[in-house]
Amino acid sequence: AQSVAQPEDQVNVAEGNPLTVKCTYSVSGNPYLFWYVQYPNRGLQFLLKYITGDNLVKGSYGFEAEFNKSQTSFHLKKPSALVSDSALYFCAVRVPSGGYQKVTFGTGTKLQVIP
Amino acid sequence: DTEVTQTPKHLVMGMTNKKSLKCEQHMGHRAMYWYKQKAKKPPELMFVYSYEKLSINESVPSRFSPECPNSSLLNLHLHALQPEDSALYLCASSQGGSGHNEKLFFGSGTQLSVL
């Protein structure tokens, strides 16, 4: 089965410090990986995606993610955390399903940035 | 316009009621989705419409009935729901091609409570 895993339910980081939210994947063939963020009582917002090419992907709001094929990881990073980054973060993979594509999400990681 | 609009934002219904959730987008997207999300859990795919035809049904109970009247609208008809169906229902859309790099655009969701 093709899936993503987020090993941490919650990550706490001090404002101004670098942050990392972890994601590992299990995909046969080429992985198509995404990060989404969800603020309270809102839908999910796209942050960035990896399809092919450069292993370092830059996205919205200063976030970036590093694709590592040997470690099957796609960790989300930001050099300097803001209190407003506090939210729920989902890693996702797009997989084929009967000729169509569907997106499967990881279990989510709550990021808490402490002032 | 890069929004997906969902109405109502909140809905409380009894187990014998019939209600409908509505979703609208004007981005010209040809794929539309319904997801169900329990608190602090990832969204779970329910249905996918591609070019106004139902392409994926994730074995959803028949008390949930999707409808796609045209390329901009997506409905979810609810009948005889159970309390365990209480959740945040998210609508999403994407361009609708077969490409792997499509990102999803989400609405803010309908928070459903079944009494």
Side-chain angles (χ1 to χ4, degrees):
Chain A
Q2 308 201 79
S3 63
V4 289
Q6 295 179 243
E8 302 157 317
D9 289 336
Q10 181 159 338
V11 170
N12 297 321
V13 63
E15 185 177 23
N17 282 3
L19 69 88
T20 298
V21 182
K22 296 180 180 177
C23 173
T24 58
Y25 65 89
S26 175
V27 173
S28 57
N30 295 323
Y32 301 97
L33 300 163
F34 301 77
W35 276 101
Y36 287 84
V37 60
Q38 185 175 31
Y39 297 99
N41 302 312
R42 300 297 301 274
L44 282 70
Q45 297 178 31
F46 169 82
L47 280 179
L48 50 79
K49 64 185 178 185
Y50 173 82
I51 304 300
T52 186
D54 195 348
N55 289 343
L56 185 63
V57 179
K58 294 188 182 297
S60 307
Y61 313 120
F63 284 93
E64 58 189 26
E66 186 172 10
F67 173 72
N68 188 317
K69 188 172 183 178
S70 63
Q71 297 185 4
T72 62
S73 66
F74 188 56
H75 300 332
L76 182 69
K77 300 181 179 183
K78 188 173 183 181
S80 178
L82 301 173
V83 173
S84 57
D85 293 329
S86 298
L88 191 56
Y89 290 80
F90 290 101
C91 184
V93 61
R94 183 175 278 273
V95 299
S97 176
Y100 298 94
Q101 303 290 323
K102 69 175 187 178
V103 176
T104 299
F105 292 90
T107 50
T109 298
K110 181 179 180 180
L111 174 66
Q112 189 74 40
V113 180
I114 303 163
Chain B
D1 185 0
T2 58
E3 281 193 353
V4 176
T5 303
Q6 289 187 246
T7 55
K9 292 191 183 304
H10 302 275
L11 179 62
V12 179
M13 60 186 292
M15 290 190 284
T16 59
N17 291 159
K18 288 184 180 180
K19 296 287 184 182
S20 296
L21 309 185
K22 297 185 184 301
C23 175
E24 189 169 3
Q25 57 86 17
H26 296 288
M27 294 178 278
H29 289 173
R30 302 312 298 269
M32 297 187 76
Y33 310 74
W34 281 115
Y35 281 86
K36 173 183 177 180
Q37 186 180 25
K38 291 280 199 178
K40 300 181 181 180
K41 298 292 185 183
E44 297 176 358
L45 182 65
M46 300 175 71
F47 303 104
V48 179
Y49 272 83
S50 180
Y51 291 83
E52 300 160 49
K53 293 185 178 179
L54 183 64
S55 58
I56 295 178
N57 178 339
E58 291 287 281
S59 302
V60 179
S62 60
R63 58 185 184 267
F64 295 92
S65 176
E67 177 195 21
C68 189
N70 59 57
S71 60
S72 299
L73 296 174
L74 185 66
N75 299 322
L76 186 62
H77 303 298
L78 314 172
H79 173 55
L81 294 193
Q82 304 297 309
E84 59 264 29
D85 295 322
S86 298
L88 180 67
Y89 288 83
L90 292 166
C91 175
S93 70
S94 67
Q95 285 188 326
S98 59
H100 299 284
N101 61 351
E102 289 191 13
K103 63 183 182 182
L104 296 173
F105 291 78
F106 282 86
S108 294
T110 294
Q111 187 65 54
L112 174 67
S113 296
V114 182
L115 303 179

